């Protein structure tokens, strides 16, 4: 589909109709958007191309989800649970890492380095289902706070493994000290300078449009700074949400505008772009693809479930809290 107005009409219709249809079928809209992306994308019926605009909006949607999770957490509760958060973050990363290495090395026949990279991918996660939790008003639940804090640690550890692997295979990589210096500069700018600048700006201008654009600019800037420091944009977006947390009360007009635009534009575009990357034909190309996919999925799910079960036992949580943790992290 090459006509711009036709593309816009299709995307708007999808964003409007899919949540309504999913509500009737009692299926999360997240699943509906991904399946729709598979169907209308270039690897499906090719009604929509993977354009730069869609890719850009999709990436902003991914960053928005992480920013929202950081901006809505209860920082005081997170401080009280810092020991528990650290424990869960380690469990949520290292258990899938170990399973990923074992299955990659012994079942898939990959090298030790490749298996380590696969395991680190299983250990990491983004909070794709966080909008559902937020919509039901559970973002202040202790388990959600635990998961959000643990996510930051799991993502950071995963990126450190990636950096170590990259350093192993690329002789031209930047020095360790330079990488650490860039990370310190990134943390200083995002966690110290950014909230102070935002507070000054919001007090001075008090314009709804300017306030909204400021937050979006800081979100993207933090993601850029993270990537420049050798980290990942999602970590920068999450830290921006944490840094601006106190300036964005959950029911404030500014936060309502951010949530509305994010959930109605950015998140659907992210989910559509994810679906458009999936080539269903690969599942019918032979048993090897299905074996690899099944091994990866099973390793990931098992690792995250074991982490949730371990934290349930250690912290004496109930079964529903375990399921909530598992649902957010896999």
């Amino acid at each position: 589909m090459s006509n711009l107005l036709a593309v816009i009409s299709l995307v708007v219709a999808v964003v409007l109709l899919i949540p309504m249809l999913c509500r009737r079928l009692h299926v999360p809209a997240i699943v509906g958007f991904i399946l729709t992306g598979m169907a209308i994308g270039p690897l499906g019926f090719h009604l929509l191309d993977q354009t730069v605009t869609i890719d850009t909006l999709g990436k902003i949607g991914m960053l928005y989800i992480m920013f929202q999770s950081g901006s809505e957490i209860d920082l005081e509760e997170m401080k009280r649970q810092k020991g528990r958060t650290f424990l869960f973050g380690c469990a949520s990363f290292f258990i899938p890492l170990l399973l990923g290495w074992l299955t990659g090395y012994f079942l898939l026949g990959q090298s030790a380095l490749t298996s380590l990279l696969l395991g680190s991918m299983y250990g990491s996660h983004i909070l794709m289902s966080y909008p559902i939790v937020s919509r039901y008003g559970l973002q202040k639940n202790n388990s959600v706070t635990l998961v959000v804090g643990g996510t930051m640690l799991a993502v950071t550890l995963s990126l450190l493994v990636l950096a170590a692997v990259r350093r192993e295979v690329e002789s031209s990589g930047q020095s360790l000290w330079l990488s650490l210096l860039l990370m310190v500069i990134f943390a200083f700018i995002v966690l110290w300078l950014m909230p102070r600048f935002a507070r000054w700006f919001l007090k001075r201008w008090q314009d709804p449009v300017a306030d909204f654009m400021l937050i979006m600019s800081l979100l993207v800037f933090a993601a850029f700074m993270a990537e420049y420091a050798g980290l990942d944009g999602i970590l920068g977006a999450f830290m921006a949400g944490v840094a601006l947390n106190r300036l964005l009360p959950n029911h404030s007009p500014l936060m309502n505008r951010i949530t509305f635009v994010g959930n109605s534009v950015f998140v659907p575009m992210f989910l559509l772009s994810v679906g458009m990357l999936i080539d269903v034909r690969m599942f019918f190309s032979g048993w090897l693809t299905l074996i690899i996919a099944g091994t990866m999925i099973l390793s990931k799910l098992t690792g995250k479930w074991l982490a949730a079960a371990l934290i349930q036992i250690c912290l004496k949580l109930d079964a529903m809290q375990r399921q909530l943790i598992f649902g957010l992290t896999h």
Side-chain angles (χ1 to χ4, degrees):
M1 188 181 293
S2 57
N3 187 288
L4 179 60
L5 291 178
V7 170
I8 295 174
S9 300
L10 176 62
V11 171
V12 171
V14 166
V15 173
L16 170 66
L17 297 176
I18 291 301
M20 298 169 61
L21 177 62
C22 290
R23 199 174 298 119
R24 285 291 187 104
L25 298 176
H26 302 287
V27 174
I30 287 176
V31 177
F33 280 123
I34 293 177
L35 293 177
T36 303
M38 294 168 58
I40 67 176
L43 302 176
F45 294 105
H46 207 167
L47 299 177
L48 204 61
D49 289 317
Q50 192 81 12
T51 63
V52 175
T53 302
I54 291 176
D55 287 341
T56 301
L57 289 175
K59 186 166 186 178
I60 294 177
M62 178 177 62
L63 298 177
Y64 165 80
I65 291 174
M66 297 302 291
F67 173 83
Q68 183 188 28
S69 62
S71 64
E72 290 186 346
I73 61 173
D74 188 336
L75 289 179
E76 295 303 322
E77 182 64 25
M78 189 173 175
K79 287 180 182 178
R80 287 193 293 269
Q81 294 198 58
K82 58 184 177 182
R84 296 182 169 195
T85 298
F86 179 79
L87 175 64
F88 173 71
C90 289
S92 186
F93 175 75
F94 285 109
I95 294 177
L97 172 71
L98 178 60
L99 281 177
W101 188 88
L102 291 173
T103 55
Y105 189 75
F106 291 104
L107 292 182
L108 301 181
Q110 301 297 316
S111 67
L113 206 59
T114 302
S115 300
L116 178 64
L117 196 58
L118 282 172
S120 70
M121 183 175 67
Y122 304 158
S124 177
H125 58 265
I126 62 171
L127 299 169
M128 184 181 288
S129 54
Y130 186 85
I132 298 176
V133 172
S134 179
R135 187 160 60 248
Y136 281 102
L138 297 174
Q139 63 269 31
K140 297 292 185 180
N141 186 281
N142 291 341
S143 299
V144 176
T145 303
L146 194 69
V147 170
V148 172
T151 297
M152 182 166 60
L153 179 60
V155 170
T156 304
L157 290 172
S158 180
L159 293 172
L160 289 176
V161 172
L162 174 61
V165 172
R166 182 183 297 167
R167 192 179 305 280
E168 183 70 22
V169 299
E170 296 178 4
S171 58
S172 59
Q174 64 187 20
S175 68
L176 176 63
W177 293 110
L178 178 58
S179 299
L180 292 176
L181 177 61
L182 290 175
M183 291 179 191
V184 170
I185 294 173
F186 157 73
F188 173 76
I189 291 175
V190 173
L191 296 178
W192 195 86
L193 284 181
M194 186 180 291
R196 284 162 175 77
F197 172 74
R199 185 179 293 108
W200 170 82
F201 187 96
L202 294 174
K203 286 183 178 180
R204 182 177 179 85
W205 294 103
Q206 296 182 350
D207 177 78
V209 176
D211 292 349
F212 175 80
M213 294 309 300
L214 169 72
I215 300 302
M216 296 308 302
S217 299
L218 293 178
L219 161 61
V220 177
F221 176 72
F224 164 74
M225 287 294 298
E227 292 190 348
Y228 187 78
L231 300 170
D232 194 275
I234 61 174
L235 182 61
F238 178 81
M239 293 184 67
V242 173
L244 301 177
N245 182 288
R246 301 184 189 281
L247 301 177
L248 299 171
N250 286 337
H251 300 293
S252 65
L254 177 56
M255 192 62 188
N256 289 338
R257 285 192 291 272
I258 294 171
T259 302
F260 172 77
V261 174
N263 290 340
S264 59
V265 179
F266 296 143
V267 173
M269 293 304 300
F270 166 60
L271 298 172
L272 285 174
S273 66
V274 169
M276 291 170 67
L277 294 174
I278 301 173
D279 188 354
V280 181
R281 293 169 296 184
M282 289 297 295
F283 294 109
F284 303 98
S285 63
W287 285 105
L288 181 60
T289 300
L290 295 176
I291 291 172
I292 293 174
T295 302
M296 294 176 68
I297 293 171
L298 187 61
S299 300
K300 172 81 170 181
L301 292 180
T302 303
K304 292 299 183 182
W305 188 89
L306 288 174
L310 177 64
I311 208 69
Q312 177 195 9
I313 295 171
C314 293
L315 303 184
K316 296 181 174 59
L317 305 177
D318 58 41
M320 290 300 295
Q321 289 176 305
R322 183 200 65 219
Q323 289 300 95
L324 183 57
I325 290 171
F326 176 59
L328 277 169
T329 55
H330 75 256

